[in-house]
PDB file of all heavy atoms in Angstrom:
ATOM      1  N   PRO A  86     119.137  83.947  88.116  1.00  0.00           N
ATOM      2  CA  PRO A  86     119.112  84.760  89.339  1.00  0.00           C
ATOM      3  C   PRO A  86     119.927  84.122  90.455  1.00  0.00           C
ATOM      4  O   PRO A  86     120.074  82.907  90.530  1.00  0.00           O
ATOM      5  CB  PRO A  86     117.615  84.779  89.711  1.00  0.00           C
ATOM      6  CG  PRO A  86     117.044  83.548  89.077  1.00  0.00           C
ATOM      7  CD  PRO A  86     117.837  83.320  87.831  1.00  0.00           C
ATOM      8  N   GLY A  87     120.488  84.972  91.309  1.00  0.00           N
ATOM      9  CA  GLY A  87     121.180  84.480  92.495  1.00  0.00           C
ATOM     10  C   GLY A  87     122.586  83.990  92.274  1.00  0.00           C
ATOM     11  O   GLY A  87     123.217  83.478  93.202  1.00  0.00           O
ATOM     12  N   VAL A  88     123.113  84.148  91.068  1.00  0.00           N
ATOM     13  CA  VAL A  88     124.478  83.689  90.782  1.00  0.00           C
ATOM     14  C   VAL A  88     125.476  84.742  91.258  1.00  0.00           C
ATOM     15  O   VAL A  88     125.309  85.936  90.990  1.00  0.00           O
ATOM     16  CB  VAL A  88     124.665  83.434  89.274  1.00  0.00           C
ATOM     17  CG1 VAL A  88     126.121  83.132  88.947  1.00  0.00           C
ATOM     18  CG2 VAL A  88     123.776  82.282  88.820  1.00  0.00           C
ATOM     19  N   ASP A  89     126.514  84.309  91.969  1.00  0.00           N
ATOM     20  CA  ASP A  89     127.612  85.196  92.344  1.00  0.00           C
ATOM     21  C   ASP A  89     128.538  85.305  91.139  1.00  0.00           C
ATOM     22  O   ASP A  89     129.428  84.481  90.934  1.00  0.00           O
ATOM     23  CB  ASP A  89     128.358  84.624  93.553  1.00  0.00           C
ATOM     24  CG  ASP A  89     129.468  85.548  94.057  1.00  0.00           C
ATOM     25  OD1 ASP A  89     129.898  86.443  93.284  1.00  0.00           O
ATOM     26  OD2 ASP A  89     129.911  85.382  95.201  1.00  0.00           O
ATOM     27  N   LEU A  90     128.284  86.328  90.336  1.00  0.00           N
ATOM     28  CA  LEU A  90     128.952  86.437  89.038  1.00  0.00           C
ATOM     29  C   LEU A  90     130.460  86.587  89.190  1.00  0.00           C
ATOM     30  O   LEU A  90     131.234  85.987  88.441  1.00  0.00           O
ATOM     31  CB  LEU A  90     128.362  87.610  88.255  1.00  0.00           C
ATOM     32  CG  LEU A  90     128.733  87.702  86.782  1.00  0.00           C
ATOM     33  CD1 LEU A  90     128.452  86.392  86.068  1.00  0.00           C
ATOM     34  CD2 LEU A  90     127.983  88.846  86.122  1.00  0.00           C
ATOM     35  N   ASN A  91     130.907  87.370  90.173  1.00  0.00           N
ATOM     36  CA  ASN A  91     132.345  87.552  90.359  1.00  0.00           C
ATOM     37  C   ASN A  91     133.022  86.239  90.703  1.00  0.00           C
ATOM     38  O   ASN A  91     134.111  85.938  90.216  1.00  0.00           O
ATOM     39  CB  ASN A  91     132.610  88.595  91.450  1.00  0.00           C
ATOM     40  CG  ASN A  91     132.319  90.008  90.972  1.00  0.00           C
ATOM     41  OD1 ASN A  91     132.424  90.290  89.788  1.00  0.00           O
ATOM     42  ND2 ASN A  91     131.930  90.877  91.883  1.00  0.00           N
ATOM     43  N   LYS A  92     132.371  85.444  91.541  1.00  0.00           N
ATOM     44  CA  LYS A  92     132.950  84.156  91.924  1.00  0.00           C
ATOM     45  C   LYS A  92     132.994  83.211  90.734  1.00  0.00           C
ATOM     46  O   LYS A  92     133.973  82.491  90.515  1.00  0.00           O
ATOM     47  CB  LYS A  92     132.134  83.541  93.063  1.00  0.00           C
ATOM     48  CG  LYS A  92     132.845  82.405  93.756  1.00  0.00           C
ATOM     49  CD  LYS A  92     132.205  82.087  95.092  1.00  0.00           C
ATOM     50  CE  LYS A  92     133.035  81.047  95.836  1.00  0.00           C
ATOM     51  NZ  LYS A  92     132.474  80.714  97.141  1.00  0.00           N
ATOM     52  N   MET A  93     131.925  83.211  89.933  1.00  0.00           N
ATOM     53  CA  MET A  93     131.899  82.349  88.753  1.00  0.00           C
ATOM     54  C   MET A  93     132.949  82.772  87.737  1.00  0.00           C
ATOM     55  O   MET A  93     133.590  81.931  87.102  1.00  0.00           O
ATOM     56  CB  MET A  93     130.503  82.367  88.125  1.00  0.00           C
ATOM     57  CG  MET A  93     129.455  81.599  88.914  1.00  0.00           C
ATOM     58  SD  MET A  93     129.775  79.818  88.982  1.00  0.00           S
ATOM     59  CE  MET A  93     129.296  79.328  87.321  1.00  0.00           C
ATOM     60  N   ARG A  94     133.138  84.075  87.595  1.00  0.00           N
ATOM     61  CA  ARG A  94     134.104  84.565  86.600  1.00  0.00           C
ATOM     62  C   ARG A  94     135.531  84.187  86.961  1.00  0.00           C
ATOM     63  O   ARG A  94     136.399  84.138  86.086  1.00  0.00           O
ATOM     64  CB  ARG A  94     133.982  86.085  86.455  1.00  0.00           C
ATOM     65  CG  ARG A  94     132.863  86.503  85.515  1.00  0.00           C
ATOM     66  CD  ARG A  94     132.954  87.975  85.203  1.00  0.00           C
ATOM     67  NE  ARG A  94     131.946  88.387  84.237  1.00  0.00           N
ATOM     68  CZ  ARG A  94     131.249  89.512  84.322  1.00  0.00           C
ATOM     69  NH1 ARG A  94     131.443  90.337  85.349  1.00  0.00           N
ATOM     70  NH2 ARG A  94     130.365  89.836  83.396  1.00  0.00           N
ATOM     71  N   GLN A  95     135.805  83.938  88.241  1.00  0.00           N
ATOM     72  CA  GLN A  95     137.139  83.484  88.631  1.00  0.00           C
ATOM     73  C   GLN A  95     137.465  82.142  87.989  1.00  0.00           C
ATOM     74  O   GLN A  95     138.630  81.788  87.831  1.00  0.00           O
ATOM     75  CB  GLN A  95     137.224  83.354  90.146  1.00  0.00           C
ATOM     76  CG  GLN A  95     137.198  84.670  90.885  1.00  0.00           C
ATOM     77  CD  GLN A  95     137.146  84.478  92.393  1.00  0.00           C
ATOM     78  OE1 GLN A  95     137.655  83.497  92.933  1.00  0.00           O
ATOM     79  NE2 GLN A  95     136.519  85.412  93.077  1.00  0.00           N
ATOM     80  N   ARG A  96     136.432  81.401  87.621  1.00  0.00           N
ATOM     81  CA  ARG A  96     136.628  80.066  87.041  1.00  0.00           C
ATOM     82  C   ARG A  96     136.802  80.123  85.525  1.00  0.00           C
ATOM     83  O   ARG A  96     137.008  79.091  84.890  1.00  0.00           O
ATOM     84  CB  ARG A  96     135.433  79.181  87.410  1.00  0.00           C
ATOM     85  CG  ARG A  96     135.319  78.974  88.908  1.00  0.00           C
ATOM     86  CD  ARG A  96     133.962  78.443  89.341  1.00  0.00           C
ATOM     87  NE  ARG A  96     133.740  77.072  88.895  1.00  0.00           N
ATOM     88  CZ  ARG A  96     132.625  76.391  89.154  1.00  0.00           C
ATOM     89  NH1 ARG A  96     131.642  76.959  89.842  1.00  0.00           N
ATOM     90  NH2 ARG A  96     132.479  75.157  88.718  1.00  0.00           N
ATOM     91  N   ILE A  97     136.704  81.340  84.954  1.00  0.00           N
ATOM     92  CA  ILE A  97     136.772  81.493  83.496  1.00  0.00           C
ATOM     93  C   ILE A  97     137.835  82.519  83.146  1.00  0.00           C
ATOM     94  O   ILE A  97     137.640  83.723  83.328  1.00  0.00           O
ATOM     95  CB  ILE A  97     135.413  81.957  82.927  1.00  0.00           C
ATOM     96  CG1 ILE A  97     134.276  81.073  83.438  1.00  0.00           C
ATOM     97  CG2 ILE A  97     135.446  81.968  81.403  1.00  0.00           C
ATOM     98  CD1 ILE A  97     132.905  81.651  83.188  1.00  0.00           C
ATOM     99  N   GLY A  98     138.989  82.057  82.672  1.00  0.00           N
ATOM    100  CA  GLY A  98     140.022  82.978  82.213  1.00  0.00           C
ATOM    101  C   GLY A  98     139.704  83.450  80.801  1.00  0.00           C
ATOM    102  O   GLY A  98     139.192  82.686  79.986  1.00  0.00           O
TER     103      GLY A  98
END
Side-chain angles (χ1 to χ4, degrees):
V88 173
D89 184 341
L90 192 52
N91 286 332
K92 195 164 186 179
M93 287 295 285
R94 277 191 176 138
Q95 290 174 30
R96 297 164 68 180
I97 309 167

